[in-house]
Amino acid sequence: MPSDFGDESGEVLVEWASRVAGLSGDVAARRMALRLAASLERARDRASGGPEAPGEAAGAPWARLDMEDFRELEGYGQVRAAIDAKLTAAQVRHEFFSDGEAGREYLLFPVADAGRVSRAFDELAAKAREIGGGGTGGGSRDARPLEERAAQARDAAAAIEASRGQRERALEVAERTVAR
C-alpha cells in the first residue's frame, strides 16, 4: 500500500505507475516499475560505497549521485518527487543539482548519510518491485491500454442494458401466454 513506508514516497510511486499504466498499459507500467527498481538498486549500491561510490574525492563532505538512470524513465518528475519524499522522511539533508552545461542532474547528500540514502533507495526499490509484480505472478492482468479496456466495458454495459429490455419483453409475453 502507498502508506507502507510511513511517508508519501510510496504514494508518489503508485501515482507514477498509475499514470504510466494509463498512458501505456499495465504491462508497460510493470516493466517501467521494474526498470525503476533496477535503477534504484544501482543508486543504492553507489550510495553505499559500492564500486561506483559517489563523491568527488576521498574525504569530501558531500556525495554526488548522477540521476541519469532516473531521467531516462517516463515520468521522471514523479520519480524524483518520490526520491525526495523518501529522503526527507529519512531526515537526510539533500539537494538536487542541475548542471546545465553538462546536461546532467545530481543528487547531493552528506557522505555521512550514505547508509541512510542507501536504505531509502533500497526501500523505494522494494516498493517499485512490488508495483511491478516483481516476478510473482503479476502477468494475468490485461495488457491493453486503459482507454481500450474502458471502451470495451462501456460497450458490454450497453449490450447488457439492451438485453435487459429484450428479456423483460420476453417475460411479459410469457406471462400473457400463461395467463390465457
Side-chain angles (χ1 to χ4, degrees), residues 5 7-8 30 35 42-43 60-61 65 69 72 79 87 89 92 94 107 122 125 129 131 147 149 154 161 180:
F5 293 116
D7 58 54
E8 65 184 59
R30 285 197 299 277
R35 274 186 60 199
R42 282 191 296 277
L65 186 66
D69 270 3
E72 295 172 357
V79 171
L87 293 175
V92 173
H94 64 283
L107 170 65
D122 194 43
R129 285 218 178 275
I131 291 168
E147 292 83 10
R149 291 179 300 166
R154 284 190 296 274
E161 192 61 37
R180 290 186 192 170

Side-chain angles (χ1 to χ4, degrees), residues 5 7-10 13 36-37 39-45 47-48 65 70 79-94 96 107 109 113-129:
F5 293 116
D7 58 54
E8 65 184 59
S9 65
L13 282 181
L36 172 61
S39 295
L40 289 161
E41 289 163 351
R42 282 191 296 277
R44 172 203 61 206
D45 294 344
S48 66
L65 186 66
F70 302 105
V79 171
R80 181 181 171 208
I83 292 169
D84 183 46
K86 188 65 180 171
L87 293 175
T88 299
Q91 298 180 339
V92 173
R93 200 167 123 211
H94 64 283
F96 290 94
L107 170 65
F109 58 91
D113 287 338
R116 289 194 294 167
V117 171
S118 179
R119 280 189 297 281
F121 277 110
D122 194 43
E123 290 173 7
L124 286 170
K127 183 64 180 175
R129 285 218 178 275

Side-chain angles (χ1 to χ4, degrees), residues 50-71:
E52 299 176 36
E56 292 299 309
W62 287 86
R64 178 180 78 177
L65 186 66
D66 194 336
M67 298 297 287
E68 183 176 8
D69 270 3
F70 302 105
R71 290 181 63 168

Side-chain angles (χ1 to χ4, degrees), residues 102-113:
R104 292 193 173 283
E105 184 171 29
Y106 300 98
L107 170 65
L108 305 175
F109 58 91
V111 171
D113 287 338

